[in-house]
Amino acid sequence: GLGMVAAGLLLSVVKGWPVFLEITELLILVPALLGLKGNLEMTLASRLGTHANMGDLDVWSSLWRIASANLAVVQCQAIIVGT
């Protein structure tokens, strides 16, 4: 959605930077890295779905613990992919 539009606008600005002009292969990596965003969201949904089916999310205190831990994992994955 909006994130992909912003990524496209940013790419149109940075494609003229010296690093992209010298190493043109970097532009090939951009769509692949953008595609990983959806993969991160789907792994989060899969993990939370598994916990829901196991009944782990029935208790309010464990819901917050599991949800925050899984969001932290996704954030770490996004940082690793984004660097």
Side-chain angles (χ1 to χ4, degrees):
L2 190 57
M4 296 296 273
V5 171
L9 291 172
L10 179 63
L11 182 60
S12 69
V13 171
V14 300
K15 71 180 179 185
W17 288 5
V19 67
F20 288 107
L21 295 175
E22 290 181 30
I23 308 171
T24 55
E25 292 82 8
L26 285 177
L27 285 176
I28 296 170
L29 294 175
V30 172
L33 291 174
L34 289 174
L36 288 176
K37 178 185 170 283
N39 293 343
L40 294 176
E41 293 169 352
M42 293 311 295
T43 56
L44 174 64
S46 176
R47 279 195 230 99
L48 292 177
T50 300
H51 281 292
N53 287 326
M54 293 174 53
D56 296 338
L57 302 180
D58 293 340
V59 179
W60 187 254
S61 61
S62 67
L63 174 115
W64 280 107
R65 183 180 51 81
I66 290 169
S68 61
N70 279 291
L71 288 171
V73 168
V74 169
Q75 185 63 41
C76 290
Q77 290 173 332
I79 290 169
I80 291 169
V81 167
T83 58

